[in-house]
Amino acid sequence: MADKPNCKVVLANNIAKSLLREVQDGLQKIGRKPLLVGFLSSSDPAAKVYAEWTGKTAKENGFEFELREIDRELLEDALLDANNDPRVDGIIVYYPIFGNRQDQYLQQIVSIDKDVEGLSHKYVFNMYQNIRFVDDANLKKSILPCTPLAVIKILEYLRIYNTILAYGNRLHGRTITVINRSEVVGRPLAALLANDGAQVYSVDINDVQEFTRGEGLRKKRHEVSEKPGWNINDCLPLSDVVISGVPGDKYKVPLEKLKEGAVCINFSSERNFTPEVKEKASIYVPAIGKVTIVVLLRNLLNKIDATTEPSSEKATQEKAAQTTA
């Protein structure tokens, strides 16, 4: 079946290129190659691929990268050593490892000064509370988790964010469905989108929750309400944007309920949308992995920038140019 000409398929590589220019500008200001260390203690094939992509993208773009494959029983000590190593600028750990609360513990082992994934408690707290900076002067940005931030950067690239509106309100009037409520991606993404003004339906296997800042964006941060009796079929006809990240190859978004002209983004390693999505969607992004890695490098640069005290002139400029992430 031929693709309908009104559906634009946007590849992650094209979006990543625009972000890489920003990364290159940041590297020139630093004047050295930052060292990112990745820890692989997982047999998950997707984690291995992500690690390889990270290393390739980092090295191609002027960063140093070391992949350390560590037995999971030795990982805690290895992380503590990296925390104390002045050569190491950033740390990424490829999850899942134990697949339980021990993974959450390991996330807190990584020093907040070297956490480029936004998994430290302080960053998670700030994200859900819609606190965008870690200092009172609003100069040091709070680090956001890479995959949710990659989706946000894609939405900005696609002009889903309305740049006429004030920062923090630029998704006002948008209705978005996020299919996935994992603690790593789905729930943070729903919170971030709602904090930027969207009405978000968070769809899990058992229920639907609504994330919103209230009528007229009255709230400073999002609140969550249950939608009793709702399922994916209730959300899709209302949604301007549908973002899906269900793991595995069995789940497919029910396209018959999809709103005509919706924007569809897939962040699962498998395709959650069948090819027929192009018959109804206006824009389709089939994968986001390359954007996620560039966002990781961007987070690393933000960490390094935050360790240097800006001049008063630069501080004034940065504060005037606050961005959504």
Side-chain angles (χ1 to χ4, degrees), residues 13-37:
N13 190 49
N14 294 331
I15 304 170
K17 286 179 181 177
S18 63
L19 289 171
L20 276 173
R21 288 192 288 271
E22 179 184 338
V23 167
Q24 289 301 321
D25 290 342
L27 268 181
Q28 289 180 4
K29 293 176 183 177
I30 293 171
R32 64 180 178 86
K33 290 186 174 183
L35 173 59
L36 176 65
V37 175

PDB file of all heavy atoms in Angstrom, residues 13-37:
ATOM      1  N   ASN A  13      17.560  10.702  13.107  1.00  0.00           N
ATOM      2  CA  ASN A  13      18.871  11.203  12.711  1.00  0.00           C
ATOM      3  C   ASN A  13      18.806  12.673  12.305  1.00  0.00           C
ATOM      4  O   ASN A  13      19.705  13.463  12.623  1.00  0.00           O
ATOM      5  CB  ASN A  13      19.414  10.356  11.554  1.00  0.00           C
ATOM      6  CG  ASN A  13      20.862  10.655  11.251  1.00  0.00           C
ATOM      7  OD1 ASN A  13      21.701  10.681  12.152  1.00  0.00           O
ATOM      8  ND2 ASN A  13      21.169  10.897   9.994  1.00  0.00           N
ATOM      9  N   ASN A  14      17.729  13.054  11.616  1.00  0.00           N
ATOM     10  CA  ASN A  14      17.594  14.449  11.176  1.00  0.00           C
ATOM     11  C   ASN A  14      17.390  15.382  12.365  1.00  0.00           C
ATOM     12  O   ASN A  14      17.896  16.506  12.382  1.00  0.00           O
ATOM     13  CB  ASN A  14      16.417  14.574  10.203  1.00  0.00           C
ATOM     14  CG  ASN A  14      16.666  13.826   8.907  1.00  0.00           C
ATOM     15  OD1 ASN A  14      17.811  13.671   8.492  1.00  0.00           O
ATOM     16  ND2 ASN A  14      15.606  13.363   8.277  1.00  0.00           N
ATOM     17  N   ILE A  15      16.642  14.919  13.369  1.00  0.00           N
ATOM     18  CA  ILE A  15      16.417  15.733  14.567  1.00  0.00           C
ATOM     19  C   ILE A  15      17.706  15.833  15.372  1.00  0.00           C
ATOM     20  O   ILE A  15      18.049  16.894  15.900  1.00  0.00           O
ATOM     21  CB  ILE A  15      15.292  15.123  15.416  1.00  0.00           C
ATOM     22  CG1 ILE A  15      14.029  14.972  14.569  1.00  0.00           C
ATOM     23  CG2 ILE A  15      15.012  15.968  16.651  1.00  0.00           C
ATOM     24  CD1 ILE A  15      12.929  14.171  15.234  1.00  0.00           C
ATOM     25  N   ALA A  16      18.435  14.723  15.441  1.00  0.00           N
ATOM     26  CA  ALA A  16      19.680  14.696  16.213  1.00  0.00           C
ATOM     27  C   ALA A  16      20.704  15.680  15.655  1.00  0.00           C
ATOM     28  O   ALA A  16      21.478  16.275  16.413  1.00  0.00           O
ATOM     29  CB  ALA A  16      20.253  13.279  16.223  1.00  0.00           C
ATOM     30  N   LYS A  17      20.719  15.865  14.344  1.00  0.00           N
ATOM     31  CA  LYS A  17      21.706  16.759  13.735  1.00  0.00           C
ATOM     32  C   LYS A  17      21.595  18.181  14.268  1.00  0.00           C
ATOM     33  O   LYS A  17      22.609  18.837  14.529  1.00  0.00           O
ATOM     34  CB  LYS A  17      21.545  16.753  12.209  1.00  0.00           C
ATOM     35  CG  LYS A  17      22.067  15.489  11.533  1.00  0.00           C
ATOM     36  CD  LYS A  17      21.843  15.544  10.034  1.00  0.00           C
ATOM     37  CE  LYS A  17      22.350  14.266   9.356  1.00  0.00           C
ATOM     38  NZ  LYS A  17      22.072  14.272   7.894  1.00  0.00           N
ATOM     39  N   SER A  18      20.367  18.661  14.436  1.00  0.00           N
ATOM     40  CA  SER A  18      20.196  20.029  14.928  1.00  0.00           C
ATOM     41  C   SER A  18      20.662  20.151  16.371  1.00  0.00           C
ATOM     42  O   SER A  18      21.244  21.168  16.767  1.00  0.00           O
ATOM     43  CB  SER A  18      18.729  20.449  14.801  1.00  0.00           C
ATOM     44  OG  SER A  18      17.892  19.647  15.609  1.00  0.00           O
ATOM     45  N   LEU A  19      20.447  19.113  17.175  1.00  0.00           N
ATOM     46  CA  LEU A  19      20.909  19.130  18.561  1.00  0.00           C
ATOM     47  C   LEU A  19      22.419  18.988  18.643  1.00  0.00           C
ATOM     48  O   LEU A  19      23.057  19.549  19.542  1.00  0.00           O
ATOM     49  CB  LEU A  19      20.243  18.011  19.350  1.00  0.00           C
ATOM     50  CG  LEU A  19      18.754  18.188  19.658  1.00  0.00           C
ATOM     51  CD1 LEU A  19      18.172  16.910  20.253  1.00  0.00           C
ATOM     52  CD2 LEU A  19      18.527  19.362  20.596  1.00  0.00           C
ATOM     53  N   LEU A  20      22.999  18.254  17.699  1.00  0.00           N
ATOM     54  CA  LEU A  20      24.455  18.083  17.710  1.00  0.00           C
ATOM     55  C   LEU A  20      25.180  19.403  17.485  1.00  0.00           C
ATOM     56  O   LEU A  20      26.282  19.607  18.000  1.00  0.00           O
ATOM     57  CB  LEU A  20      24.873  17.059  16.641  1.00  0.00           C
ATOM     58  CG  LEU A  20      24.788  15.598  17.055  1.00  0.00           C
ATOM     59  CD1 LEU A  20      25.055  14.687  15.861  1.00  0.00           C
ATOM     60  CD2 LEU A  20      25.759  15.283  18.194  1.00  0.00           C
ATOM     61  N   ARG A  21      24.574  20.288  16.723  1.00  0.00           N
ATOM     62  CA  ARG A  21      25.195  21.609  16.533  1.00  0.00           C
ATOM     63  C   ARG A  21      25.277  22.355  17.862  1.00  0.00           C
ATOM     64  O   ARG A  21      26.282  23.016  18.159  1.00  0.00           O
ATOM     65  CB  ARG A  21      24.402  22.411  15.489  1.00  0.00           C
ATOM     66  CG  ARG A  21      24.579  21.914  14.069  1.00  0.00           C
ATOM     67  CD  ARG A  21      24.031  22.895  13.058  1.00  0.00           C
ATOM     68  NE  ARG A  21      22.573  22.933  13.064  1.00  0.00           N
ATOM     69  CZ  ARG A  21      21.799  22.143  12.317  1.00  0.00           C
ATOM     70  NH1 ARG A  21      22.352  21.239  11.523  1.00  0.00           N
ATOM     71  NH2 ARG A  21      20.487  22.254  12.373  1.00  0.00           N
ATOM     72  N   GLU A  22      24.243  22.227  18.673  1.00  0.00           N
ATOM     73  CA  GLU A  22      24.256  22.842  19.999  1.00  0.00           C
ATOM     74  C   GLU A  22      25.335  22.203  20.871  1.00  0.00           C
ATOM     75  O   GLU A  22      26.052  22.904  21.606  1.00  0.00           O
ATOM     76  CB  GLU A  22      22.875  22.659  20.646  1.00  0.00           C
ATOM     77  CG  GLU A  22      22.752  23.241  22.041  1.00  0.00           C
ATOM     78  CD  GLU A  22      21.401  22.938  22.670  1.00  0.00           C
ATOM     79  OE1 GLU A  22      20.438  22.657  21.932  1.00  0.00           O
ATOM     80  OE2 GLU A  22      21.313  22.979  23.916  1.00  0.00           O
ATOM     81  N   VAL A  23      25.479  20.881  20.764  1.00  0.00           N
ATOM     82  CA  VAL A  23      26.498  20.173  21.531  1.00  0.00           C
ATOM     83  C   VAL A  23      27.896  20.624  21.109  1.00  0.00           C
ATOM     84  O   VAL A  23      28.778  20.845  21.954  1.00  0.00           O
ATOM     85  CB  VAL A  23      26.339  18.648  21.349  1.00  0.00           C
ATOM     86  CG1 VAL A  23      27.554  17.894  21.875  1.00  0.00           C
ATOM     87  CG2 VAL A  23      25.076  18.161  22.062  1.00  0.00           C
ATOM     88  N   GLN A  24      28.114  20.781  19.807  1.00  0.00           N
ATOM     89  CA  GLN A  24      29.429  21.209  19.320  1.00  0.00           C
ATOM     90  C   GLN A  24      29.777  22.607  19.824  1.00  0.00           C
ATOM     91  O   GLN A  24      30.926  22.874  20.188  1.00  0.00           O
ATOM     92  CB  GLN A  24      29.453  21.175  17.784  1.00  0.00           C
ATOM     93  CG  GLN A  24      29.451  19.777  17.197  1.00  0.00           C
ATOM     94  CD  GLN A  24      30.644  18.955  17.646  1.00  0.00           C
ATOM     95  OE1 GLN A  24      31.763  19.454  17.751  1.00  0.00           O
ATOM     96  NE2 GLN A  24      30.397  17.683  17.939  1.00  0.00           N
ATOM     97  N   ASP A  25      28.797  23.484  19.865  1.00  0.00           N
ATOM     98  CA  ASP A  25      29.036  24.828  20.410  1.00  0.00           C
ATOM     99  C   ASP A  25      29.455  24.751  21.874  1.00  0.00           C
ATOM    100  O   ASP A  25      30.356  25.462  22.327  1.00  0.00           O
ATOM    101  CB  ASP A  25      27.778  25.684  20.269  1.00  0.00           C
ATOM    102  CG  ASP A  25      27.474  26.059  18.832  1.00  0.00           C
ATOM    103  OD1 ASP A  25      28.394  25.951  17.991  1.00  0.00           O
ATOM    104  OD2 ASP A  25      26.319  26.447  18.546  1.00  0.00           O
ATOM    105  N   GLY A  26      28.796  23.871  22.634  1.00  0.00           N
ATOM    106  CA  GLY A  26      29.141  23.702  24.044  1.00  0.00           C
ATOM    107  C   GLY A  26      30.536  23.140  24.237  1.00  0.00           C
ATOM    108  O   GLY A  26      31.270  23.562  25.142  1.00  0.00           O
ATOM    109  N   LEU A  27      30.922  22.208  23.369  1.00  0.00           N
ATOM    110  CA  LEU A  27      32.267  21.627  23.452  1.00  0.00           C
ATOM    111  C   LEU A  27      33.343  22.680  23.215  1.00  0.00           C
ATOM    112  O   LEU A  27      34.379  22.684  23.879  1.00  0.00           O
ATOM    113  CB  LEU A  27      32.411  20.500  22.424  1.00  0.00           C
ATOM    114  CG  LEU A  27      32.090  19.081  22.865  1.00  0.00           C
ATOM    115  CD1 LEU A  27      32.319  18.118  21.708  1.00  0.00           C
ATOM    116  CD2 LEU A  27      32.920  18.668  24.070  1.00  0.00           C
ATOM    117  N   GLN A  28      33.111  23.547  22.246  1.00  0.00           N
ATOM    118  CA  GLN A  28      34.102  24.585  21.950  1.00  0.00           C
ATOM    119  C   GLN A  28      34.319  25.507  23.139  1.00  0.00           C
ATOM    120  O   GLN A  28      35.439  25.955  23.394  1.00  0.00           O
ATOM    121  CB  GLN A  28      33.650  25.381  20.725  1.00  0.00           C
ATOM    122  CG  GLN A  28      33.738  24.598  19.420  1.00  0.00           C
ATOM    123  CD  GLN A  28      33.296  25.411  18.216  1.00  0.00           C
ATOM    124  OE1 GLN A  28      32.988  26.600  18.343  1.00  0.00           O
ATOM    125  NE2 GLN A  28      33.259  24.774  17.053  1.00  0.00           N
ATOM    126  N   LYS A  29      33.271  25.772  23.898  1.00  0.00           N
ATOM    127  CA  LYS A  29      33.403  26.642  25.071  1.00  0.00           C
ATOM    128  C   LYS A  29      34.222  25.960  26.163  1.00  0.00           C
ATOM    129  O   LYS A  29      34.964  26.619  26.904  1.00  0.00           O
ATOM    130  CB  LYS A  29      32.016  27.003  25.601  1.00  0.00           C
ATOM    131  CG  LYS A  29      31.212  27.878  24.665  1.00  0.00           C
ATOM    132  CD  LYS A  29      29.805  28.116  25.198  1.00  0.00           C
ATOM    133  CE  LYS A  29      28.974  28.932  24.220  1.00  0.00           C
ATOM    134  NZ  LYS A  29      27.574  29.098  24.695  1.00  0.00           N
ATOM    135  N   ILE A  30      34.101  24.641  26.266  1.00  0.00           N
ATOM    136  CA  ILE A  30      34.837  23.902  27.299  1.00  0.00           C
ATOM    137  C   ILE A  30      36.305  23.750  26.924  1.00  0.00           C
ATOM    138  O   ILE A  30      37.196  23.861  27.770  1.00  0.00           O
ATOM    139  CB  ILE A  30      34.193  22.521  27.521  1.00  0.00           C
ATOM    140  CG1 ILE A  30      32.804  22.691  28.135  1.00  0.00           C
ATOM    141  CG2 ILE A  30      35.051  21.641  28.422  1.00  0.00           C
ATOM    142  CD1 ILE A  30      31.999  21.420  28.186  1.00  0.00           C
ATOM    143  N   GLY A  31      36.567  23.501  25.645  1.00  0.00           N
ATOM    144  CA  GLY A  31      37.943  23.418  25.167  1.00  0.00           C
ATOM    145  C   GLY A  31      38.656  22.128  25.513  1.00  0.00           C
ATOM    146  O   GLY A  31      39.880  22.076  25.507  1.00  0.00           O
ATOM    147  N   ARG A  32      37.920  21.073  25.830  1.00  0.00           N
ATOM    148  CA  ARG A  32      38.542  19.770  26.083  1.00  0.00           C
ATOM    149  C   ARG A  32      37.531  18.678  25.786  1.00  0.00           C
ATOM    150  O   ARG A  32      36.357  18.960  25.513  1.00  0.00           O
ATOM    151  CB  ARG A  32      39.007  19.652  27.539  1.00  0.00           C
ATOM    152  CG  ARG A  32      37.880  19.686  28.568  1.00  0.00           C
ATOM    153  CD  ARG A  32      38.424  19.554  29.980  1.00  0.00           C
ATOM    154  NE  ARG A  32      37.385  19.617  31.004  1.00  0.00           N
ATOM    155  CZ  ARG A  32      36.680  18.565  31.419  1.00  0.00           C
ATOM    156  NH1 ARG A  32      36.903  17.371  30.894  1.00  0.00           N
ATOM    157  NH2 ARG A  32      35.772  18.708  32.362  1.00  0.00           N
ATOM    158  N   LYS A  33      37.988  17.424  25.830  1.00  0.00           N
ATOM    159  CA  LYS A  33      37.102  16.292  25.583  1.00  0.00           C
ATOM    160  C   LYS A  33      36.579  15.742  26.915  1.00  0.00           C
ATOM    161  O   LYS A  33      37.344  15.127  27.667  1.00  0.00           O
ATOM    162  CB  LYS A  33      37.844  15.187  24.832  1.00  0.00           C
ATOM    163  CG  LYS A  33      38.180  15.516  23.389  1.00  0.00           C
ATOM    164  CD  LYS A  33      38.769  14.300  22.693  1.00  0.00           C
ATOM    165  CE  LYS A  33      38.984  14.560  21.203  1.00  0.00           C
ATOM    166  NZ  LYS A  33      39.484  13.344  20.507  1.00  0.00           N
ATOM    167  N   PRO A  34      35.310  15.940  27.229  1.00  0.00           N
ATOM    168  CA  PRO A  34      34.767  15.380  28.473  1.00  0.00           C
ATOM    169  C   PRO A  34      34.773  13.851  28.415  1.00  0.00           C
ATOM    170  O   PRO A  34      34.595  13.251  27.347  1.00  0.00           O
ATOM    171  CB  PRO A  34      33.330  15.919  28.516  1.00  0.00           C
ATOM    172  CG  PRO A  34      33.303  17.050  27.539  1.00  0.00           C
ATOM    173  CD  PRO A  34      34.308  16.734  26.496  1.00  0.00           C
ATOM    174  N   LEU A  35      34.962  13.228  29.573  1.00  0.00           N
ATOM    175  CA  LEU A  35      34.984  11.768  29.659  1.00  0.00           C
ATOM    176  C   LEU A  35      33.660  11.262  30.224  1.00  0.00           C
ATOM    177  O   LEU A  35      33.294  11.568  31.359  1.00  0.00           O
ATOM    178  CB  LEU A  35      36.135  11.289  30.547  1.00  0.00           C
ATOM    179  CG  LEU A  35      36.155   9.775  30.846  1.00  0.00           C
ATOM    180  CD1 LEU A  35      36.235   8.959  29.565  1.00  0.00           C
ATOM    181  CD2 LEU A  35      37.319   9.430  31.781  1.00  0.00           C
ATOM    182  N   LEU A  36      32.969  10.473  29.418  1.00  0.00           N
ATOM    183  CA  LEU A  36      31.754   9.788  29.834  1.00  0.00           C
ATOM    184  C   LEU A  36      32.079   8.315  30.016  1.00  0.00           C
ATOM    185  O   LEU A  36      32.672   7.688  29.137  1.00  0.00           O
ATOM    186  CB  LEU A  36      30.666   9.957  28.779  1.00  0.00           C
ATOM    187  CG  LEU A  36      29.348   9.208  29.009  1.00  0.00           C
ATOM    188  CD1 LEU A  36      28.629   9.720  30.251  1.00  0.00           C
ATOM    189  CD2 LEU A  36      28.444   9.334  27.774  1.00  0.00           C
ATOM    190  N   VAL A  37      31.701   7.765  31.166  1.00  0.00           N
ATOM    191  CA  VAL A  37      31.957   6.347  31.445  1.00  0.00           C
ATOM    192  C   VAL A  37      30.629   5.610  31.511  1.00  0.00           C
ATOM    193  O   VAL A  37      29.723   6.017  32.252  1.00  0.00           O
ATOM    194  CB  VAL A  37      32.742   6.164  32.756  1.00  0.00           C
ATOM    195  CG1 VAL A  37      32.885   4.681  33.084  1.00  0.00           C
ATOM    196  CG2 VAL A  37      34.114   6.806  32.638  1.00  0.00           C
TER     197      VAL A  37
END
